[in-house]
Amino acid sequence: MEIRKFGYYWLDTWVMANVIQLATQDFCLRFLNQRNDPCGRQFDQMTQAARSAPANIAEGNSRHSTSRETEMKLTDVARASLAELANDYLNWIMLHGQAPWSMASQEYKAVNAIQLDQPMYRDDVQHLSSLHILSQKHKFDAWLSGDNSLLAANCLLVLCNRLIQMLRRQIEHLLDDFKEEGGFTEGLTAERLAHRAEKSRQADAPTCPVCGKPMIKRVAKKGINSGREFWSCSGYPECNGTRNIM
């Protein structure tokens, strides 16, 4: 994944998430009303779930250089929000006495076959990326722009499920990178533990009774010994060796 300023603007997942958010806002404005959503809760829940997807993809990708773990967690939050939104569209379809499109249907195949264009912006990114998102949304106008709520709900259900799969692959890619490289925050933790271990060697700290590594002083945070110092293995959490401080 290419990393640059506004790096997430180049992600197909972020672009598709914005398409779904815009289409969901339009769906809710046109089809939810005082009769079928008297308290406005359905409107709020659907638009907030739709907003969560691009927001968490963007925030997660922005943490790429500082914590891969956080990036994966936020990307998974986006995936979970889309699953919630997909269920809302599924419920809308069944509420109207129908089942969603079969994967073998022509409608499903037509929507699923539409591919996103590759972003071509270099400068003026926010302006050009907005035009790009709008142009991608227009590809689905045949299903989204009419007065048939079931047509729009089916299309958006397909797009939500499609993006869920895209995000799963993105998380798998991030996990592979994390296994190989770790992340900035994780690297700092390793450096800090190595520094503490070296200080312990210089201070003639005892060695771990389990693995033999030098030990470092820690403070118990809970239990009957809360607040008391003890010797802990510098290899924690891989090793849980401890000694009491005499």
Side-chain angles (χ1 to χ4, degrees):
M1 250 171 245
E2 188 173 1
I3 306 303
R4 60 183 108 176
K5 184 180 180 183
F6 302 128
Y8 53 87
Y9 281 50
W10 279 261
L11 291 173
D12 282 346
T13 49
W14 184 77
V15 173
M16 180 63 84
N18 274 278
V19 168
I20 291 173
Q21 182 184 9
L22 290 170
T24 295
Q25 290 167 328
D26 182 60
F27 180 95
C28 292
L29 286 169
R30 290 193 295 132
F31 299 122
L32 296 182
N33 51 53
Q34 188 66 29
R35 184 174 61 85
N36 59 30
D37 187 28
C39 297
R41 290 183 180 178
Q42 187 73 15
F43 185 102
D44 290 343
Q45 289 172 348
M46 291 183 69
T47 55
Q48 287 303 308
R51 177 190 177 279
S52 174
N56 280 287
I57 292 169
E59 185 178 355
N61 185 259
S62 297
R63 297 294 301 276
H64 182 90
S65 61
T66 55
S67 177
R68 302 285 178 87
E69 182 180 0
T70 301
E71 182 180 14
M72 285 186 284
K73 287 180 178 178
L74 290 171
T75 305
D76 193 52
V77 170
R79 183 203 58 76
S81 296
L82 283 163
E84 176 185 343
L85 183 60
N87 192 63
D88 286 330
Y89 284 119
L90 178 62
N91 176 263
W92 180 271
I93 295 166
M94 292 192 296
L95 182 64
H96 288 77
Q98 294 190 22
W101 291 337
S102 166
M103 294 176 65
S105 68
Q106 292 301 315
E107 296 92 341
Y108 179 95
K109 291 179 179 179
V111 171
N112 205 43
I114 295 176
Q115 299 297 312
L116 299 181
D117 296 326
Q118 184 178 356
M120 298 301 291
Y121 30 86
R122 292 175 178 266
D123 302 315
D124 203 3
V125 173
Q126 289 183 322
H127 173 73
L128 293 176
S129 66
S130 297
L131 293 177
H132 176 67
I133 290 167
L134 290 171
S135 69
Q136 303 314 293
K137 180 177 178 292
H138 287 323
K139 292 186 174 191
F140 304 97
D141 278 350
W143 300 275
L144 297 177
S145 62
D147 295 329
N148 189 330
S149 71
L150 291 173
L151 203 62
N154 269 287
C155 176
L156 280 162
L157 178 58
V158 173
L159 295 184
C160 284
N161 288 331
R162 179 172 164 183
L163 182 51
I164 288 169
Q165 294 302 319
M166 292 167 67
L167 287 171
R168 282 176 178 163
R169 290 193 295 270
Q170 184 172 324
I171 292 169
E172 289 171 359
H173 178 80
L174 292 169
L175 182 59
D176 288 341
D177 284 350
F178 181 78
K179 289 176 181 177
E180 292 291 328
E181 305 170 12
F184 181 76
T185 299
E186 294 80 16
L188 285 180
T189 299
E191 290 289 336
R192 184 170 65 251
L193 290 174
H195 177 68
R196 288 181 178 177
E198 181 59 29
K199 287 184 66 177
S200 296
R201 292 188 188 95
Q202 296 174 1
D204 295 326
T207 57
C208 175
V210 177
C211 69
K213 290 182 179 179
M215 307 192 81
I216 57 178
K217 285 184 180 180
R218 296 184 187 274
V219 177
K221 296 181 180 180
K222 56 185 178 180
I224 59 175
N225 294 316
S226 178
R228 296 179 59 182
E229 287 188 327
F230 67 99
W231 290 110
S232 172
C233 181
S234 60
Y236 178 85
E238 287 76 15
C239 177
N240 291 315
T242 61
R243 286 182 184 272
N244 292 327
I245 293 180
M246 302 300 183

